[in-house]
Amino acid sequence: FPGIPGILLGHNEHIALGGTVVAHDVTDFYLESVVPCAQQAGDCVVFQGNEVPIITIEETINVGVQGNILDSFVVRYEVVPHHGPIVPAIVGHRLAPRTGNQALSVRFTGYQPTQDIRAFFGLQKAATRAQAFEAIGDFTHGAQNFVVADDAGDFGWTSYALVPLRSPGCFTFHAQNNPGGVTPYLVVPGD
């Protein structure tokens, strides 16, 4: 990974480490119901029967070449606190204001703080397969398969990632018995 110190895949004096991407589903999309907030200004989403205010964040984006700022503009984006950012509309290469009473938000486990760098440092110092597996326990972002072998002849495989805990209501889809049900690889109701 660019900017990460050390060797992610390779070997040190005692262990060899390989990896591949694993297809854990770590992203959920929610169809949010948007309503005017009853208790304050702005818009809310409906979650478990309650109104939750949408958070608005503004950032200034400077555009330039070789250190010369040629343009500057302010972007506004919105976040559903318990799910994540609302996917914005893009009009004329700019974020457009949200309209309507629905929005699509995205929750991704990579938005959470991680200890991935601690995992990489631990792997650099690992002398056994067991120590390598212990270090991999700090790796939570970007689902990966890891294979490890050490110079004592021990080897093993593990798959590590932070996977969302989903409610039972996310698993009601059945092609024949409940084709209108919910499944986490499709858009999930925001409530």
Side-chain angles (χ1 to χ4, degrees):
F1 293 137
I4 299 295
I7 306 296
L8 176 57
L9 303 176
H11 65 87
N12 66 18
E13 185 179 356
H14 299 285
I15 67 160
L17 176 70
T20 60
V21 174
V22 66
H24 292 318
D25 182 3
V26 298
T27 306
D28 292 321
F29 291 88
Y30 295 89
L31 183 60
E32 306 286 357
S33 296
V34 179
V35 298
C37 294
Q39 302 298 318
Q40 64 185 54
D43 287 337
C44 287
V45 295
V46 178
F47 181 67
Q48 298 178 345
N50 298 308
E51 291 182 357
V52 178
I54 295 172
I55 298 169
T56 301
I57 299 172
E58 288 188 0
E59 291 187 21
T60 300
I61 307 294
N62 293 320
V63 180
V65 175
Q66 298 177 342
N68 296 319
I69 304 301
L70 303 175
D71 192 10
S72 180
F73 56 95
V74 175
V75 294
R76 252 179 108 222
Y77 59 96
E78 298 174 306
V79 177
V80 175
H82 52 279
H83 287 156
I86 291 177
V87 178
I90 308 293
V91 177
H93 303 287
R94 305 278 174 130
L95 298 182
R98 176 186 42 77
T99 59
N101 61 358
Q102 292 184 321
L104 191 65
S105 67
V106 60
R107 181 173 159 216
F108 168 52
T109 59
Y111 295 155
Q112 297 173 238
T114 70
Q115 298 297 326
D116 293 351
I117 292 194
R118 183 167 55 196
F120 299 143
F121 283 134
L123 287 169
Q124 301 308 303
K125 297 186 293 182
T128 66
R129 181 211 40 91
Q131 290 173 349
F133 273 21
E134 184 178 340
I136 289 169
D138 285 325
F139 185 84
T140 56
H141 173 67
Q144 298 287 311
N145 288 303
F146 290 100
V147 291
V148 177
D150 65 28
D151 58 2
D154 290 329
F155 61 92
W157 164 84
T158 187
S159 177
Y160 228 88
L162 186 60
V163 178
L165 178 62
R166 297 177 174 110
S167 72
C170 287
F171 301 98
T172 60
F173 172 82
H174 187 277
Q176 286 79 35
N177 300 339
N178 191 13
V182 176
T183 184
Y185 58 82
L186 299 174
V187 176
V188 176
D191 62 355

